[in-house]
């Protein structure tokens, strides 16, 4: 039931390339003094230029085209005219588009000017956790291996993993089954990955406590201790030998197609 048909994979692959392009092209606009609303506007225009639809706009009432989450905002930040970026800020831009009826979803961290060493390590470790997860994905593994790989990486740090949000199947719908947990859960052992599954992995890593709260706008999620949070997200296809990163960007530190099958010595 989670397996995508060939024609669907082709479409989601195209959507993924567009999402990657938006994330690559927005970088040059991120400077002290720009508002998150302006960044939203630029992303919106880039999405329209690609003849695709911003999936966040109007999704369950979300008012903007992308989510922008600055510093202690964990996710679902609403771009705002009065929110002006300043030197030292870290932010996540989360882009989801629909092209030809199919979604792709990815996000990454951006730095404003010079950021603190602490924030730099936080962002690096968030990306590394995502990569650790992608490096275990292959047909035949239990779904909870993904969260296990993330937890194994974060255990080595003083950071914490947000438990309230998870990755998700994606396709015709924005959020499909299965849920992808970003921490180890022994009981989450009912699904075995198969070739043709498409889902996101999107760990949110906090500098301090993993506790979060939703603000009165009913969207913005913040850390309760006001310490920063970082997130990286990709849309992934499970392939015969591992996985393909459908939202792979040119700045990536791992290849687009991962071979995760260890060749046995003969
Ligand atoms: N892109 C987010 C995710 O990774 C979901 C954002 S929902 C929105 O699943 F409504 F806030 F846009
Ligand atoms: Co997303
Ligand atoms: Co997502």
């Amino acid at each position: 039931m989670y397996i995508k048909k060939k024609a669907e994979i082709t479409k989601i692959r195209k959507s993924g390339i567009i999402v990657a392009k938006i994330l690559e092209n927005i970088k040059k606009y991120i400077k002290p003094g720009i508002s998150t609303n302006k960044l939203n506007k630029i992303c919106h225009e880039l999405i329209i230029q690609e003849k695709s639809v911003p999936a966040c706009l109007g999704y369950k009432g979300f008012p903007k085209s992308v989510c922008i989450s600055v510093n202690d905002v964990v996710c679902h930040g609403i771009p705002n005219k009065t929110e002006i970026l300043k030197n030292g800020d870290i932010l996540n831009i989360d882009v989801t588009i629909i092209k030809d009826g199919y979604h792709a979803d990815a996000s990454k961290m951006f730095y404003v000017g010079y950021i603190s060493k602490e924030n730099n390590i936080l962002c690096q470790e968030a990306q590394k956790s995502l990569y650790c997860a992608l490096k275990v994905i292959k047909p035949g593994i239990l779904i909870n291996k993904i969260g296990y790989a993330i937890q194994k990486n974060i255990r080595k740090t003083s950071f914490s993993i947000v438990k309230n949000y998870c990755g998700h199947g994606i396709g015709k719908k924005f959020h499909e089954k299965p849920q992808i947990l970003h921490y180890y859960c022994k009981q989450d052992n009912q699904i075995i990955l198969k070739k043709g599954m498409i889902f996101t992995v999107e760990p949110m890593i906090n500098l301090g406590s993993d506790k979060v709260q939703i603000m009165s706008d009913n969207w913005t999620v913040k850390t309760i201790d006001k310490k920063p949070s970082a997130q990286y997200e990709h849309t992934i296809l499970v392939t015969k030998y591992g996985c393909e990163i459908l939202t792979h960007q040119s700045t990536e530190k791992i290849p687009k197609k991962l071979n995760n099958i260890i060749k046995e010595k003969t």
Side-chain angles (χ1 to χ4, degrees), residues 116-140:
S116 69
K117 191 169 178 189
E118 215 175 29
N119 279 353
N120 188 274
I121 296 170
L122 176 67
C123 294
Q124 295 298 321
E125 289 296 337
Q127 186 181 44
K128 203 170 141 197
S129 331
L130 171 57
Y131 287 171
C132 286
L134 303 188
K135 285 175 184 169
V136 301
I137 294 174
K138 61 184 174 189

PDB file of all heavy atoms in Angstrom, residues 116-140:
ATOM      1  N   SER A 116      27.171  31.698  15.917  1.00  0.00           N
ATOM      2  CA  SER A 116      27.998  31.194  17.014  1.00  0.00           C
ATOM      3  C   SER A 116      28.473  29.777  16.694  1.00  0.00           C
ATOM      4  O   SER A 116      27.846  29.051  15.914  1.00  0.00           O
ATOM      5  CB  SER A 116      27.207  31.177  18.321  1.00  0.00           C
ATOM      6  OG  SER A 116      26.201  30.181  18.268  1.00  0.00           O
ATOM      7  N   LYS A 117      29.568  29.393  17.332  1.00  0.00           N
ATOM      8  CA  LYS A 117      30.133  28.058  17.142  1.00  0.00           C
ATOM      9  C   LYS A 117      29.110  26.998  17.568  1.00  0.00           C
ATOM     10  O   LYS A 117      28.931  25.979  16.909  1.00  0.00           O
ATOM     11  CB  LYS A 117      31.414  27.933  17.974  1.00  0.00           C
ATOM     12  CG  LYS A 117      32.194  26.693  17.628  1.00  0.00           C
ATOM     13  CD  LYS A 117      33.572  26.663  18.227  1.00  0.00           C
ATOM     14  CE  LYS A 117      34.243  25.340  17.842  1.00  0.00           C
ATOM     15  NZ  LYS A 117      35.507  25.145  18.548  1.00  0.00           N
ATOM     16  N   GLU A 118      28.422  27.301  18.678  1.00  0.00           N
ATOM     17  CA  GLU A 118      27.388  26.404  19.216  1.00  0.00           C
ATOM     18  C   GLU A 118      26.280  26.149  18.181  1.00  0.00           C
ATOM     19  O   GLU A 118      25.885  25.010  17.931  1.00  0.00           O
ATOM     20  CB  GLU A 118      26.788  27.098  20.441  1.00  0.00           C
ATOM     21  CG  GLU A 118      26.381  26.199  21.549  1.00  0.00           C
ATOM     22  CD  GLU A 118      25.905  26.988  22.760  1.00  0.00           C
ATOM     23  OE1 GLU A 118      25.375  28.115  22.600  1.00  0.00           O
ATOM     24  OE2 GLU A 118      26.049  26.458  23.862  1.00  0.00           O
ATOM     25  N   ASN A 119      25.789  27.235  17.579  1.00  0.00           N
ATOM     26  CA  ASN A 119      24.730  27.110  16.570  1.00  0.00           C
ATOM     27  C   ASN A 119      25.232  26.375  15.335  1.00  0.00           C
ATOM     28  O   ASN A 119      24.492  25.612  14.716  1.00  0.00           O
ATOM     29  CB  ASN A 119      24.195  28.488  16.172  1.00  0.00           C
ATOM     30  CG  ASN A 119      23.183  29.016  17.165  1.00  0.00           C
ATOM     31  OD1 ASN A 119      22.771  28.299  18.088  1.00  0.00           O
ATOM     32  ND2 ASN A 119      22.792  30.268  17.009  1.00  0.00           N
ATOM     33  N   ASN A 120      26.486  26.632  14.995  1.00  0.00           N
ATOM     34  CA  ASN A 120      27.079  25.954  13.845  1.00  0.00           C
ATOM     35  C   ASN A 120      27.120  24.443  14.067  1.00  0.00           C
ATOM     36  O   ASN A 120      26.721  23.661  13.205  1.00  0.00           O
ATOM     37  CB  ASN A 120      28.487  26.514  13.605  1.00  0.00           C
ATOM     38  CG  ASN A 120      29.064  25.994  12.309  1.00  0.00           C
ATOM     39  OD1 ASN A 120      29.646  24.915  12.279  1.00  0.00           O
ATOM     40  ND2 ASN A 120      28.865  26.720  11.238  1.00  0.00           N
ATOM     41  N   ILE A 121      27.555  24.045  15.268  1.00  0.00           N
ATOM     42  CA  ILE A 121      27.631  22.605  15.577  1.00  0.00           C
ATOM     43  C   ILE A 121      26.221  22.006  15.591  1.00  0.00           C
ATOM     44  O   ILE A 121      26.000  20.903  15.069  1.00  0.00           O
ATOM     45  CB  ILE A 121      28.375  22.365  16.914  1.00  0.00           C
ATOM     46  CG1 ILE A 121      29.838  22.827  16.788  1.00  0.00           C
ATOM     47  CG2 ILE A 121      28.327  20.899  17.319  1.00  0.00           C
ATOM     48  CD1 ILE A 121      30.609  22.869  18.092  1.00  0.00           C
ATOM     49  N   LEU A 122      25.259  22.758  16.144  1.00  0.00           N
ATOM     50  CA  LEU A 122      23.869  22.276  16.183  1.00  0.00           C
ATOM     51  C   LEU A 122      23.355  21.964  14.768  1.00  0.00           C
ATOM     52  O   LEU A 122      22.794  20.895  14.515  1.00  0.00           O
ATOM     53  CB  LEU A 122      22.976  23.330  16.855  1.00  0.00           C
ATOM     54  CG  LEU A 122      21.474  23.027  16.882  1.00  0.00           C
ATOM     55  CD1 LEU A 122      21.179  21.817  17.780  1.00  0.00           C
ATOM     56  CD2 LEU A 122      20.680  24.251  17.342  1.00  0.00           C
ATOM     57  N   CYS A 123      23.576  22.904  13.855  1.00  0.00           N
ATOM     58  CA  CYS A 123      23.110  22.719  12.471  1.00  0.00           C
ATOM     59  C   CYS A 123      23.838  21.556  11.810  1.00  0.00           C
ATOM     60  O   CYS A 123      23.219  20.721  11.141  1.00  0.00           O
ATOM     61  CB  CYS A 123      23.309  24.001  11.659  1.00  0.00           C
ATOM     62  SG  CYS A 123      22.278  25.356  12.242  1.00  0.00           S
ATOM     63  N   GLN A 124      25.155  21.490  12.013  1.00  0.00           N
ATOM     64  CA  GLN A 124      25.943  20.391  11.427  1.00  0.00           C
ATOM     65  C   GLN A 124      25.449  19.031  11.914  1.00  0.00           C
ATOM     66  O   GLN A 124      25.338  18.083  11.135  1.00  0.00           O
ATOM     67  CB  GLN A 124      27.430  20.542  11.794  1.00  0.00           C
ATOM     68  CG  GLN A 124      28.120  21.764  11.213  1.00  0.00           C
ATOM     69  CD  GLN A 124      28.150  21.761   9.695  1.00  0.00           C
ATOM     70  OE1 GLN A 124      28.336  20.725   9.064  1.00  0.00           O
ATOM     71  NE2 GLN A 124      27.937  22.922   9.093  1.00  0.00           N
ATOM     72  N   GLU A 125      25.170  18.953  13.224  1.00  0.00           N
ATOM     73  CA  GLU A 125      24.727  17.671  13.799  1.00  0.00           C
ATOM     74  C   GLU A 125      23.317  17.304  13.327  1.00  0.00           C
ATOM     75  O   GLU A 125      23.007  16.124  13.161  1.00  0.00           O
ATOM     76  CB  GLU A 125      24.794  17.694  15.335  1.00  0.00           C
ATOM     77  CG  GLU A 125      26.212  17.671  15.884  1.00  0.00           C
ATOM     78  CD  GLU A 125      26.985  16.376  15.560  1.00  0.00           C
ATOM     79  OE1 GLU A 125      26.376  15.326  15.293  1.00  0.00           O
ATOM     80  OE2 GLU A 125      28.230  16.442  15.560  1.00  0.00           O
ATOM     81  N   ALA A 126      22.476  18.313  13.126  1.00  0.00           N
ATOM     82  CA  ALA A 126      21.119  18.036  12.610  1.00  0.00           C
ATOM     83  C   ALA A 126      21.223  17.440  11.208  1.00  0.00           C
ATOM     84  O   ALA A 126      20.555  16.455  10.879  1.00  0.00           O
ATOM     85  CB  ALA A 126      20.279  19.309  12.606  1.00  0.00           C
ATOM     86  N   GLN A 127      22.106  18.026  10.387  1.00  0.00           N
ATOM     87  CA  GLN A 127      22.291  17.506   9.024  1.00  0.00           C
ATOM     88  C   GLN A 127      22.916  16.108   9.064  1.00  0.00           C
ATOM     89  O   GLN A 127      22.494  15.215   8.323  1.00  0.00           O
ATOM     90  CB  GLN A 127      23.180  18.447   8.209  1.00  0.00           C
ATOM     91  CG  GLN A 127      23.273  18.023   6.749  1.00  0.00           C
ATOM     92  CD  GLN A 127      24.166  18.928   5.933  1.00  0.00           C
ATOM     93  OE1 GLN A 127      25.263  19.305   6.371  1.00  0.00           O
ATOM     94  NE2 GLN A 127      23.703  19.311   4.765  1.00  0.00           N
ATOM     95  N   LYS A 128      23.897  15.946   9.971  1.00  0.00           N
ATOM     96  CA  LYS A 128      24.559  14.651  10.093  1.00  0.00           C
ATOM     97  C   LYS A 128      23.565  13.565  10.523  1.00  0.00           C
ATOM     98  O   LYS A 128      23.621  12.434  10.023  1.00  0.00           O
ATOM     99  CB  LYS A 128      25.698  14.766  11.109  1.00  0.00           C
ATOM    100  CG  LYS A 128      26.787  13.733  10.947  1.00  0.00           C
ATOM    101  CD  LYS A 128      27.991  14.055  11.824  1.00  0.00           C
ATOM    102  CE  LYS A 128      28.561  12.793  12.425  1.00  0.00           C
ATOM    103  NZ  LYS A 128      29.448  13.090  13.567  1.00  0.00           N
ATOM    104  N   SER A 129      22.624  13.912  11.413  1.00  0.00           N
ATOM    105  CA  SER A 129      21.614  12.921  11.838  1.00  0.00           C
ATOM    106  C   SER A 129      20.744  12.489  10.670  1.00  0.00           C
ATOM    107  O   SER A 129      20.390  11.321  10.555  1.00  0.00           O
ATOM    108  CB  SER A 129      20.657  13.444  12.904  1.00  0.00           C
ATOM    109  OG  SER A 129      21.217  14.373  13.690  1.00  0.00           O
ATOM    110  N   LEU A 130      20.382  13.469   9.833  1.00  0.00           N
ATOM    111  CA  LEU A 130      19.593  13.116   8.645  1.00  0.00           C
ATOM    112  C   LEU A 130      20.411  12.175   7.756  1.00  0.00           C
ATOM    113  O   LEU A 130      19.913  11.141   7.300  1.00  0.00           O
ATOM    114  CB  LEU A 130      19.185  14.390   7.883  1.00  0.00           C
ATOM    115  CG  LEU A 130      18.535  14.179   6.510  1.00  0.00           C
ATOM    116  CD1 LEU A 130      17.293  13.298   6.588  1.00  0.00           C
ATOM    117  CD2 LEU A 130      18.179  15.531   5.873  1.00  0.00           C
ATOM    118  N   TYR A 131      21.675  12.520   7.534  1.00  0.00           N
ATOM    119  CA  TYR A 131      22.537  11.678   6.691  1.00  0.00           C
ATOM    120  C   TYR A 131      22.702  10.269   7.286  1.00  0.00           C
ATOM    121  O   TYR A 131      22.685   9.274   6.562  1.00  0.00           O
ATOM    122  CB  TYR A 131      23.908  12.332   6.496  1.00  0.00           C
ATOM    123  CG  TYR A 131      23.924  13.532   5.567  1.00  0.00           C
ATOM    124  CD1 TYR A 131      25.072  14.329   5.453  1.00  0.00           C
ATOM    125  CD2 TYR A 131      22.818  13.871   4.786  1.00  0.00           C
ATOM    126  CE1 TYR A 131      25.112  15.417   4.585  1.00  0.00           C
ATOM    127  CE2 TYR A 131      22.855  14.958   3.926  1.00  0.00           C
ATOM    128  CZ  TYR A 131      24.006  15.734   3.828  1.00  0.00           C
ATOM    129  OH  TYR A 131      24.047  16.811   2.977  1.00  0.00           O
ATOM    130  N   CYS A 132      22.869  10.190   8.613  1.00  0.00           N
ATOM    131  CA  CYS A 132      23.002   8.879   9.274  1.00  0.00           C
ATOM    132  C   CYS A 132      21.769   8.024   9.002  1.00  0.00           C
ATOM    133  O   CYS A 132      21.880   6.825   8.753  1.00  0.00           O
ATOM    134  CB  CYS A 132      23.172   9.038  10.788  1.00  0.00           C
ATOM    135  SG  CYS A 132      24.788   9.630  11.269  1.00  0.00           S
ATOM    136  N   ALA A 133      20.599   8.668   9.037  1.00  0.00           N
ATOM    137  CA  ALA A 133      19.348   7.950   8.756  1.00  0.00           C
ATOM    138  C   ALA A 133      19.321   7.476   7.300  1.00  0.00           C
ATOM    139  O   ALA A 133      19.008   6.316   7.027  1.00  0.00           O
ATOM    140  CB  ALA A 133      18.155   8.839   9.048  1.00  0.00           C
ATOM    141  N   LEU A 134      19.699   8.356   6.390  1.00  0.00           N
ATOM    142  CA  LEU A 134      19.640   8.000   4.957  1.00  0.00           C
ATOM    143  C   LEU A 134      20.601   6.855   4.636  1.00  0.00           C
ATOM    144  O   LEU A 134      20.336   6.050   3.745  1.00  0.00           O
ATOM    145  CB  LEU A 134      19.940   9.220   4.080  1.00  0.00           C
ATOM    146  CG  LEU A 134      19.030  10.444   4.294  1.00  0.00           C
ATOM    147  CD1 LEU A 134      19.296  11.496   3.234  1.00  0.00           C
ATOM    148  CD2 LEU A 134      17.557  10.070   4.341  1.00  0.00           C
ATOM    149  N   LYS A 135      21.701   6.778   5.411  1.00  0.00           N
ATOM    150  CA  LYS A 135      22.712   5.742   5.157  1.00  0.00           C
ATOM    151  C   LYS A 135      22.284   4.347   5.610  1.00  0.00           C
ATOM    152  O   LYS A 135      22.973   3.366   5.319  1.00  0.00           O
ATOM    153  CB  LYS A 135      24.035   6.128   5.829  1.00  0.00           C
ATOM    154  CG  LYS A 135      24.771   7.246   5.085  1.00  0.00           C
ATOM    155  CD  LYS A 135      26.018   7.687   5.840  1.00  0.00           C
ATOM    156  CE  LYS A 135      26.687   8.865   5.151  1.00  0.00           C
ATOM    157  NZ  LYS A 135      27.731   9.459   6.025  1.00  0.00           N
ATOM    158  N   VAL A 136      21.167   4.239   6.350  1.00  0.00           N
ATOM    159  CA  VAL A 136      20.691   2.897   6.739  1.00  0.00           C
ATOM    160  C   VAL A 136      19.476   2.446   5.923  1.00  0.00           C
ATOM    161  O   VAL A 136      19.045   1.296   6.020  1.00  0.00           O
ATOM    162  CB  VAL A 136      20.367   2.792   8.262  1.00  0.00           C
ATOM    163  CG1 VAL A 136      21.600   3.111   9.096  1.00  0.00           C
ATOM    164  CG2 VAL A 136      19.186   3.682   8.651  1.00  0.00           C
ATOM    165  N   ILE A 137      18.923   3.354   5.124  1.00  0.00           N
ATOM    166  CA  ILE A 137      17.689   3.028   4.394  1.00  0.00           C
ATOM    167  C   ILE A 137      17.967   2.088   3.217  1.00  0.00           C
ATOM    168  O   ILE A 137      18.790   2.379   2.356  1.00  0.00           O
ATOM    169  CB  ILE A 137      16.987   4.321   3.915  1.00  0.00           C
ATOM    170  CG1 ILE A 137      16.491   5.116   5.132  1.00  0.00           C
ATOM    171  CG2 ILE A 137      15.841   4.008   2.947  1.00  0.00           C
ATOM    172  CD1 ILE A 137      15.912   6.476   4.801  1.00  0.00           C
ATOM    173  N   LYS A 138      17.270   0.967   3.231  1.00  0.00           N
ATOM    174  CA  LYS A 138      17.337  -0.010   2.123  1.00  0.00           C
ATOM    175  C   LYS A 138      16.163  -0.974   2.289  1.00  0.00           C
ATOM    176  O   LYS A 138      15.593  -1.073   3.384  1.00  0.00           O
ATOM    177  CB  LYS A 138      18.672  -0.757   2.129  1.00  0.00           C
ATOM    178  CG  LYS A 138      18.937  -1.561   3.387  1.00  0.00           C
ATOM    179  CD  LYS A 138      20.320  -2.194   3.359  1.00  0.00           C
ATOM    180  CE  LYS A 138      20.621  -2.876   4.686  1.00  0.00           C
ATOM    181  NZ  LYS A 138      22.011  -3.328   4.789  1.00  0.00           N
ATOM    182  N   PRO A 139      15.795  -1.690   1.243  1.00  0.00           N
ATOM    183  CA  PRO A 139      14.696  -2.650   1.378  1.00  0.00           C
ATOM    184  C   PRO A 139      15.042  -3.707   2.422  1.00  0.00           C
ATOM    185  O   PRO A 139      16.198  -4.104   2.544  1.00  0.00           O
ATOM    186  CB  PRO A 139      14.602  -3.288  -0.019  1.00  0.00           C
ATOM    187  CG  PRO A 139      15.270  -2.339  -0.935  1.00  0.00           C
ATOM    188  CD  PRO A 139      16.343  -1.664  -0.135  1.00  0.00           C
ATOM    189  N   GLY A 140      14.027  -4.123   3.169  1.00  0.00           N
ATOM    190  CA  GLY A 140      14.216  -5.216   4.132  1.00  0.00           C
ATOM    191  C   GLY A 140      14.475  -4.798   5.561  1.00  0.00           C
ATOM    192  O   GLY A 140      14.417  -5.622   6.464  1.00  0.00           O
TER     193      GLY A 140
END
